[in-house]
Amino acid sequence: MYDIQSLNESGIKSCVVFLAGQWGRCLGEECGSGGVQTRTLWCVHSEGWTSHHSNCPHAEQPESQRPCFKVCEWHQDLFEWEVSDWATCVLIPFPHNQVKLRTGECITAQHGIQRRSVQCVRTSNRTSVMSRICEFFSHKPEMEQACLIPCPQDCVVSDFSYWSSCSKTCGTGLQHRTRDVLATPMYGGADCPNLTHTRPCSNPLPCPPGEQHQYSLKVGPWSDCWQPQDKVVWQSGRTMLDFSSSSKDNLVKQHTQSLHHVPHHPKSWDMELGYQTRQVRCTRSDGRSAMLSLCTQDHTPVNYQTCIMPKHCEISDWSSWSPCSKTCRCQDLLPGYRIRTRHMKQIPIGGGKQCPALEEKEACNIIGDLLPHCPRYVWKSTAWGDCRVAPLLSQQDRRLGNVSGLCGGGVQTREIYCVQVPEHQSLSRPVNGRLCAGSDIPSSVQRCSILCPQPCLLSSWSSWGTCLHDNCLEPQGRKGFRQRRRQVLWEPLGVPESCPHLLESIPCEDPICYMWRVETGGRCIPSSGTCGPGTLFNIVINCGPGVDVSNGQCPDPAPSPTVPCEVSCPGDCVISSWSSWSSCSTSCSSKNSEGRQRRSRTMLALPGEGGKDCPASSALKEWRECNNHPCVVFHWEATSWGPCIENSSMSLNRTFLENGTVTCAVGVQNRKVTCIKMNVGQVISKRCLDSARPDGVRPCLLPCRRDCKVTPFSEWTTCPGSCLPANSTIPTQSRYRTIIHRSANGGQECPDTLYEERDCEALPQCPSYRWQTHRWQLCSLVPDSIRQGKAGPTEPCGDGLEARGVSCIGEDEEQVDMDLCLQWGGAMPPRTRPCRIPCKDDCTFTTWSKFSECSGCGTFRSRKRSLTGRSKKRDHCLRAELYPLLETEACSCNDFLSQPFGNWSSCILPESITPGFPLGVRQSGHLDQRECGHGRRYRAVTCLDWQGRPVSPSLCSESGYVEEACHVPCPLDCKLSDWSPWSPCSTPCGGGLKIRSKWLREKSFNGGRPCPKLDLKNQVYEAIPCQSACRQFEWVVEAWSTCTINTVTEASACGEGLQSRTVNSLDDSLCNQEDPMPVRTQTCILPCPGDCVMSQWGSWSSCPLSCDPTESRRRRRHVLRLPSPEGTCPEDIQTEACVLNSTCFIYHYNVSDWSSCQLSEMAVCGPGTRSRLLDCVRSDGKVVELSVCEQFGQVNTWRLSEGCDVECPVNCVLSDWSTWSECSHTCGHQGQMLRSRSILQSAHKEGRPCPSQLLHTRSCPIRPCYSWLLGDWSLCHVEGADCGEGVRQRNLTCIVHWGDWPQQESSLTRPRPSLAANPTHTYSAQPSYFPGPVEDRHCGDKLRKMSEQELVLPCSVPCPGDCHMTEWSSWSSCQLTCLERRSFETIGRQTRSRAVVVQVLENQENCPQQGFETRPCKGGTCHTYEWRTSGWNGNERVVWCQRSDGVNVTGGCFLQNRPTTVRHCHPPCSKPFSHCTPSGVCGCEKGYIEVMTTHGFLDYCTRTPGIHNKKADVKTNSGLLKPGPSHIQDFFSDWSLQPIGPDGRVQLWAYGVTAAGFLLIVFIIALSFLLCKAPKPTSSPCPPQKPLTLAYDGDMDM
């Protein structure tokens, strides 16, 4: 495409050109390469306007159409965008020639850019295609995005160190000081400054002439180990090893002129020796080279040595990948991993390449959607066990032996186990509980309740009924039965016995089932006149025993509705009505007694002349028989129902399984029914009512038969996957299953085997390979051809190497591949060792003598040698530290001492031996766990050798423990006394409570069951309702006798007389306590003939319930005999006022307090009842019958009993003890084994609390720990020279320790306790041995460990005058990149640096560059930097940058915020006692006052008055006050009158104004007091005041 600018630049040749638009979409009928793309063409003039296509040159016309590949929708699955991760954020580059100080502009962060690669790829093989294919489906993802980078961070360095000593001791030298890099520059920050500061130094003594320089022998680094090109010459005199399979011994061949190649046998390793050389030169202190003779006056340095030709590490091929750790899809999105390994076939020697990683790990199954779903695991539970009730504190002593009868609340347990969710099976096998981790564990303990037995509760017997036929619908004969009944108030519960009989019968004669009921009508109506015979009309209601039936059922005809009667005439005798029949004298008739009733009537008026006479006295009383039925009672008695047995004749609701077995069939229950004669026994059935005979058979449901149900066996536990070591026991594997529920009702019993164990299948024995070493060969030296022309001895002597062959021997004593011994043969023995062929100038010695005899355990033996020949006169041979003449070694000792260590374990009680289930497989609770008694406790034992070093505990004891008996004290429960006797009823009359109590005897101790809630007297109470008889004694009053008149004449007497009655009592004194004795005699009026005779007064009518005194009550009587015509009758109505508690009473219900919650006899808790009593109380306090309140309309809304609940005491329920865990440490004295249990049910109320011991610990057997110890790096050692290239070395030592190393002191030279030197040494509980060296075999393969560690490092010792690097500084603290103390990252950085030290200024050009290193670290901190300043010293101060941790640094603080170090005032402060203030103006020193000019500048400083002299001579220029920051002076400066004079003193008139103001204030206060004074109180006494009570609420202000 072209633009307008290109048109103008093309010249005059073409003024118009073609312009092309963008290519359109690819169009075509079918998907694929047959598509076509088009675009629009324009002919454009150079000025910008368009023209016709014919005006443009056709030769330059671009294409407007091209073939293309049409992409269809289904191609979307074939192609996709492949996007890489965003690259790190980088700074946007500066524009050209632009200078910008980013540090000054950046506040929080600076802009950056991130890039990533985007390409369209095929989904099948991930090959890239054209981007426009993917652009058809979706927009191309962004390839760049903006990002933020923290502000530039400059390099931060520490303060300089102290100056070093002068490089020369005479003349002029150099001093230096260095600093370290604490933080490297980041994000474009400033580079680190120079880390070294150098300055010249001079000594007071000049250097003497000729000693301006000193000379040092300098050596270079050793070259690589190599062999000469002329191998014939090289191998002459070289020792080679020939390992042949035909001979078990190695043959040593000395090669002279011929060369024999040593073949490489795959079953042995050869060793090639070479040599190394180095440069030696003499340097001067100014850095220049000098003649070698100036440095080698005493000895000649060695510049060659024998070495081992390097061999690189050889490893095997990779093994196959292990299965992926993730084989299914689960909730986490993490991929799985797989591992492959390889093993070492050749240990690197001679500085060969180290072995690469021997294990490789990679992610697998990253796309989890392609995997099947992981199996789900859930917790399952068995059926609940039996409910167990714990006895109460008062029951546990007497019911300890039998708690089966207890009822109420308890707990029941079940087992919890983990299973895999089944797909096709009904039952799943249990698995390890760790697979169910994360899901909620169901409870294995729950509360339960055992129903308490409730006996049958019956009502009282009803009264005997009338004589009835057994079946009134079909009456037979003249024999009947009289019946009485009682009702069931509470059905029996939990008891096998049913309720006793509810009906009793008595045989009788002439039974009548139906009879006429007649109600008496009104008054007797005379037939003629006002007196004489008449008629009384009765009302015949119906025929029936209480329920209307047809009149035909009554055997007799209906009674007449009229009854004859008679009304007394004035002269007749008047007799009262019959009284009610008295109660029957007996309840039944027998041979010796018959029941009788009587009734009576009295004579109210005597007859007159011609009147009807009174009946005889015998006619005033009547007797009749009653309860003439014999005293014989019959009833049906039924035994308890028998068990439910299967009845094949009944098929109702029968349930069948597929196999035809009956599970829950309908059966029958039988019982025996007999007729019982009271006090006699069983009689024939005819004597009892046949209609009331109970059933002897009833249908029932047979209990369902339930078979035992168990889970399938779990998988066998895994066997060891590796091979078995020799002489080891065969491991076992086990499996188990769990009972889900046990059998019931005759079902199949549970299997006996729940746990199985078997030996693992035959595992291969671990292969047995061993190393075989051969003889050491002759010492190999550098050949003569190499020594010729080199410095050093020319004779074949000096230091060299010895080598020996090493082979791998199999079980058949044949040589095998060497890598097999690397895997199974243990540590490989060394194949080379240094040796020396003595030179003629070497020190010579005699051979070592034999070692002396050992005198005992822990002693030492020694051997000696002596110098020979000329060596006795050589000084360096006499140096014992170089050439010792005495050697000592420790004598072997097999004596060991055991020493108890650590604390005793918990007291472990003996447990029943049960098969051990894997930890975490299931969880169950036990209610009967032994928590006290005798047990054993253990304490670990350390086994020490004679040097106090730890050795295997098996050398001292079999178990590694000492044990002793121990005792866990048993808990003591709270003990209460027995119940006290019941107290009297709380009320003397009516319902109340009686109480009994028990008190505390012993408190609970040591985790015993706690006491119930006690009152302040440490007592607990029980209350039950009681009823006090209100009138236990009463007067028995008979009817009044006939009114008797004492007359002298024989004529009929009438008028006033006396009548009496009999009053009987058991004891008059007891009755007088309740009521006074009723009167026995009273006056009476006996009507005369012709007088009106009235009946007895009727009952009083009722007063209003409110006993309103304005109301009255009345009673009536009627006329029994009319008076003579001239006579009148007295009043027949009598009234009296309703007076409360006299003639009127109010009645109300009164309830007693609730009793305690009453349980059944065997219940300990749970549901119960509490009750209270109801009384009817009269308004005067007298308790009357309840029926009285009912008669007066009182509504009874009180509940006299209700359910209650006694909280159950729940004992703590614990899980089983887990199995002992593995030892936390494999060696040392810190190992612990643990076992634990958990609380499944916490204690409640009076239940036994949970013990505090939920964790048991026990020390592991103390085994010695062996570790490789890397020693500290030695100082740089240059062999045979003063300076130059050398090495730093460190040792690899096998040490034994107690397991807390390296926390222990790592000093290997600390003296150890010796058993022989101090046989009376007593060992403390803490081992006193410090880590010390032992034989390498305890730690493993030393050669392999050495191949993994860096034991030699090159170093250099600078020669005088050399420019050299310092040692690396220590690593700085871990620092994060932070913004506002929040980190940008999680990984921090540490830095260390090396500075350059210059000793001679002329060698600066050859100095290396300073450097620093960084490494990542974790747990970094965010540091901030801020400027710190010192106090002003004159007009100067010190400013430095300080890090937030208090370290003074250079860098890190913003330069723009740096405080000034020098302050300036204009004009300068030249006045005496003046100085420049921080505000930039001149001020006076302390103790002086500024006197200013009119322009505001300091004129001079004058001493402050009053400091030394009271009268100060103050000079002033214009009387103005000193300018200053005082607000008071600013305030006073606007006044015309100044309170402070020019000399700074307060003027006199100011004191006067102050005194006047004070007097005015006093006057105002006094006036206010007089006006507000309270008036004088009167003489009346003051009312009593209530004390003020303050309630303290805990506020401190109170």
Side-chain angles (χ1 to χ4, degrees), residues 844-865:
T844 59
F845 303 89
T846 61
T847 57
W848 286 103
S849 64
K850 293 183 179 181
F851 278 105
S852 60
E853 295 293 334
C854 290
S855 59
C857 184
T859 59
F860 294 87
R861 62 177 186 172
S862 62
R863 64 176 181 175
K864 299 179 180 180
R865 65 176 178 177

Side-chain angles (χ1 to χ4, degrees), residues 359-378:
E359 183 178 283
E360 192 174 57
K361 185 177 182 180
E362 71 173 10
C364 56
N365 290 340
I366 301 176
I367 305 176
D369 296 339
L370 304 179
L371 299 175
H373 287 281
C374 292
R376 293 190 304 111
Y377 299 93
V378 296

Side-chain angles (χ1 to χ4, degrees), residues 121 212 220 277 300 326 366 562 571 620 809 918 920 1019 1099 1246 1509 1532 1534 1594:
V121 298
Q212 292 293 331
T277 61
T300 302
K326 183 176 182 180
I366 301 176
T562 59
L620 297 180
I809 304 299
Q1019 293 181 347
S1099 301
E1246 301 171 28
N1509 299 320
F1532 288 153
D1534 297 331

Side-chain angles (χ1 to χ4, degrees), residues 123 340 609 642 780 846 850 922 1020 1120 1223 1280 1424 1589:
T123 56
R340 63 176 181 176
E609 292 181 0
S780 179
T846 61
K850 293 183 179 181
R922 65 181 189 175
V1020 63
L1120 296 180
C1223 195
T1424 58
T1589 303

Side-chain angles (χ1 to χ4, degrees), residues 661-675:
T661 59
V662 180
T663 56
C664 299
V666 177
V668 292
Q669 281 180 295
N670 298 319
R671 65 177 177 177
K672 184 178 180 181
V673 179
T674 55
C675 182

Side-chain angles (χ1 to χ4, degrees), residues 959-1104:
S959 63
Y961 294 101
V962 291
E963 58 180 277
E964 68 177 12
C966 58
H967 180 77
V968 178
C970 293
L972 297 179
D973 298 338
C974 173
K975 289 187 179 180
L976 303 176
S977 66
D978 295 332
W979 286 109
S980 65
W982 288 106
S983 66
C985 197
S986 60
T987 57
C989 176
L993 293 177
K994 58 180 180 179
I995 299 174
R996 64 177 180 176
S997 63
K998 58 174 63 177
W999 57 89
L1000 176 65
R1001 292 177 58 187
E1002 293 182 12
K1003 290 185 178 181
S1004 60
F1005 177 73
N1006 198 30
R1009 294 179 61 174
C1011 297
K1013 188 176 181 180
L1014 305 175
D1015 64 357
L1016 297 178
K1017 298 181 180 179
N1018 288 332
Q1019 293 181 347
V1020 63
Y1021 299 93
E1022 183 183 9
I1024 59 173
C1026 60
Q1027 185 78 40
S1028 296
C1030 296
R1031 300 186 66 177
Q1032 298 181 0
F1033 305 96
E1034 62 180 2
W1035 299 103
V1036 180
V1037 181
E1038 296 184 359
W1040 290 104
S1041 64
T1042 304
C1043 189
T1044 304
I1045 300 175
N1046 295 323
T1047 58
V1048 180
T1049 63
E1050 295 181 356
S1052 298
C1054 63
E1056 184 177 353
L1058 293 175
Q1059 61 182 166
S1060 63
R1061 62 180 176 183
T1062 303
V1063 177
N1064 298 321
S1065 67
L1066 208 61
D1067 188 346
D1068 292 350
S1069 61
L1070 296 177
C1071 288
N1072 286 328
Q1073 294 177 4
E1074 298 286 341
D1075 291 321
M1077 183 177 181
V1079 294
R1080 297 185 178 184
T1081 59
Q1082 67 176 2
T1083 60
C1084 57
I1085 301 295
L1086 185 64
C1088 295
D1091 291 343
C1092 180
V1093 179
M1094 305 295 292
S1095 66
Q1096 299 285 340
W1097 284 105
S1099 301
W1100 287 100
S1101 63
S1102 300
C1103 284

Side-chain angles (χ1 to χ4, degrees), residues 282-356:
C282 185
T283 61
R284 206 166 62 178
S285 58
D286 58 356
R288 300 179 182 272
S289 298
M291 292 185 298
L292 187 61
S293 60
L294 296 176
C295 297
T296 58
Q297 298 177 359
D298 297 333
H299 62 279
T300 302
V302 177
N303 59 351
Y304 54 84
Q305 67 179 10
T306 309
C307 58
I308 302 173
M309 292 298 294
K311 280 191 174 294
H312 305 313
C313 174
E314 294 181 9
I315 55 177
S316 64
D317 295 332
W318 285 109
S319 65
S320 300
W321 286 105
S322 65
C324 189
S325 62
K326 183 176 182 180
T327 58
C328 57
R329 189 191 336 172
C330 52
Q331 295 180 353
D332 63 77
L333 302 178
L334 298 176
Y337 63 90
R338 59 179 184 172
I339 299 174
R340 63 176 181 176
T341 58
R342 52 187 175 182
H343 60 271
M344 186 189 305
K345 301 180 66 176
Q346 167 70 55
I347 296 178
I349 58 175
K353 291 183 180 178
Q354 299 294 322
C355 295

